[in-house]
Amino acid sequence: MYRTGSGLSDFEDNSKVLAKKSKIVMLARADLLAECLTQAISTRFQGHEVVSLSEADSLLDGNLDDVALVMLYRIPATTFPSVIRTIHEFHPRASIGLVVENADEVDTSIAGFVDEGLIHGVLPLNLHLDVCLTAIDLLMKGGEHFPAALLRRLAPKSAGLPARQEASVAALPSAQRSDIGNGVLTTREIQILDLICMGTQNKIIADRLGLSENTVKVHVRNIYKKMNVRNRTEAASHYFRHDGDANPPRWHN
């Protein structure tokens, strides 16, 4: 005997289908950082369902559909290739973000996946939480985010990576670009703005990016002009204003 649903029940069922949330998957070995990051992502992206996985085989679950982003953390280098292949095969529309302890020490084999465009973002643990969440937001929108230290390592091998990064900045939705100002920031300006948000001085920025301090000052002035701000504090505040958090948390005090 089959249950006959009323018109109202059908409407409610259809509403549930329409309200189905896309998923953000956190594939990580469980530790305090993974738990904190998962919680922060859940709070920031309430329109998505956040799924925590500890085993790569769970990516094969047939119920794990409509995945928008897969975040990887503490994945052994030996299993990394198979994990990446699984994601691309079973979740081809998902962006892939990699959380690392230090961008300067990313395993060579893993860096190769970045060079080939198979990973869409690398997020070092020393990023401020607001910067990290903004980078995740960019990945969700189909953009890319790579730290300057990693770009420097790959620059001699791949001239195309900076071009992909440049395209990702332009891919920001118009509403988000308006937060940056009337002009879209270049890749180099985005890199410098990331460092500014970490409180890095011009001299240190110059050293990290292999630039002269005068060149950095020119970039900083251009950033201020494009964002219509007067100083570093205003630049960071204006850039993250769309998060709606006047005092965003940080990884480190």
Side-chain angles (χ1 to χ4, degrees), residues 129-139 176 239-240 242-243:
L129 182 55
D130 51 356
V131 179
C132 181
L133 293 175
T134 298
I136 290 174
D137 190 34
L138 180 58
L139 297 182
Q176 189 169 350
Y239 185 60
F240 299 117
H242 68 279
D243 284 340

Side-chain angles (χ1 to χ4, degrees), residues 24-82:
I24 300 174
V25 174
M26 186 72 178
L27 178 60
R29 291 184 180 179
D31 67 5
L32 182 59
L33 185 280
E35 293 178 7
C36 291
L37 180 56
T38 300
Q39 181 60 45
I41 293 174
S42 298
T43 301
R44 171 66 176 83
F45 301 98
Q46 297 183 13
H48 297 76
E49 179 184 351
V50 179
V51 180
S52 296
L53 303 177
S54 58
E55 299 293 337
D57 288 346
S58 300
L59 292 167
L60 305 177
D61 188 340
N63 294 320
L64 190 65
D65 58 354
D66 196 16
V67 176
L69 173 66
V70 179
M71 295 295 296
L72 306 175
Y73 172 58
R74 296 184 65 193
I75 304 299
T78 53
T79 63
F80 201 85
S82 63

Side-chain angles (χ1 to χ4, degrees), residues 87-99:
I87 296 172
H88 279 278
E89 181 176 355
F90 290 90
H91 307 287
R93 298 175 61 183
S95 295
I96 301 176
L98 175 64
V99 180

Side-chain angles (χ1 to χ4, degrees), residues 223-240:
I223 290 170
Y224 291 172
K225 183 177 180 180
K226 289 182 178 181
M227 297 178 68
N228 192 27
V229 298
R230 295 170 296 179
N231 53 49
R232 293 172 178 242
T233 301
E234 288 186 6
S237 174
H238 193 59
Y239 185 60
F240 299 117

